[in-house]
Amino acid sequence: MRTREQMMAFIEKQKVACIASVDQDGFPNIKAMFVPRKIEGNCFYFSTNTSSMRTQQFIRNPKASIYFYSKGRFKYEAIMLAGTMEVLEDDESKREIWRIGDTMYYRQGVTDPDYCVLKFTAIRGRYYCDLKTESFSMGDLP
């Protein structure tokens, strides 16, 4: 990945994010989710259910990774980011990424106790393209 701007442009084009947590036995668990609602610096914000298994895993162990990819006819491109995941339940965080259609998932609206925000903070990553890989630290990206 050449620059942070190029990485973010790639991520913003994707429709799905894969999120990995660590279960109680130390095994990785991966789930496809909607892309982040908000990206700010090295932080990515997702909406999810407070009661979900994944959220409970992040409460017990904040180590996480997120993965974005694009598979074309002749080209596969992907970014894996490793870091930590926080579970945010404060009103300000919830309101900031709330969307009107979310009542389909959270019947009580933005104050639904089963609605929370996952805040992923990236530390490092790996970029894949055309059978080549490149590791990077978020702090080193221009």
Side-chain angles (χ1 to χ4, degrees), residues 70-85:
S70 174
K71 183 185 177 304
R73 192 169 190 175
F74 300 104
K75 181 178 182 178
Y76 180 87
E77 187 175 9
I79 295 173
M80 186 280 302
L81 298 172
T84 57
M85 190 75 79

Side-chain angles (χ1 to χ4, degrees), residues 13 20 24-25 28 31 40 65 69 74 107 136:
K13 284 192 249 175
Q24 67 277 4
D25 297 320
K31 176 183 182 176
E40 186 175 72
S65 64
Y69 71 95
F74 300 104
R107 300 264 182 238
F136 58 90

Side-chain angles (χ1 to χ4, degrees), residues 94 121 133:
K94 290 166 69 169
T121 303
T133 63

Side-chain angles (χ1 to χ4, degrees), residues 47-52 55 87-95 98-99 101-117:
S47 67
T48 196
N49 295 85
T50 309
S51 62
S52 75
T55 298
V87 177
L88 306 177
E89 297 183 76
D90 64 284
D91 286 344
E92 183 180 338
S93 297
K94 290 166 69 169
R95 288 181 196 288
W98 179 262
R99 292 187 183 156
D102 287 345
T103 52
M104 179 170 51
Y105 306 105
Y106 313 105
R107 300 264 182 238
Q108 296 177 42
V110 72
T111 59
D112 193 315
D114 198 35
Y115 166 59
C116 69
V117 174

Side-chain angles (χ1 to χ4, degrees), residues 19-20 44 46 58-59 61-66 83-87 118-121:
I19 296 183
F44 298 76
F46 300 86
F58 289 130
I59 289 170
N61 184 343
K63 289 183 179 178
S65 64
I66 58 177
T84 57
M85 190 75 79
E86 295 174 69
V87 177
L118 296 178
K119 177 186 177 185
F120 175 80
T121 303

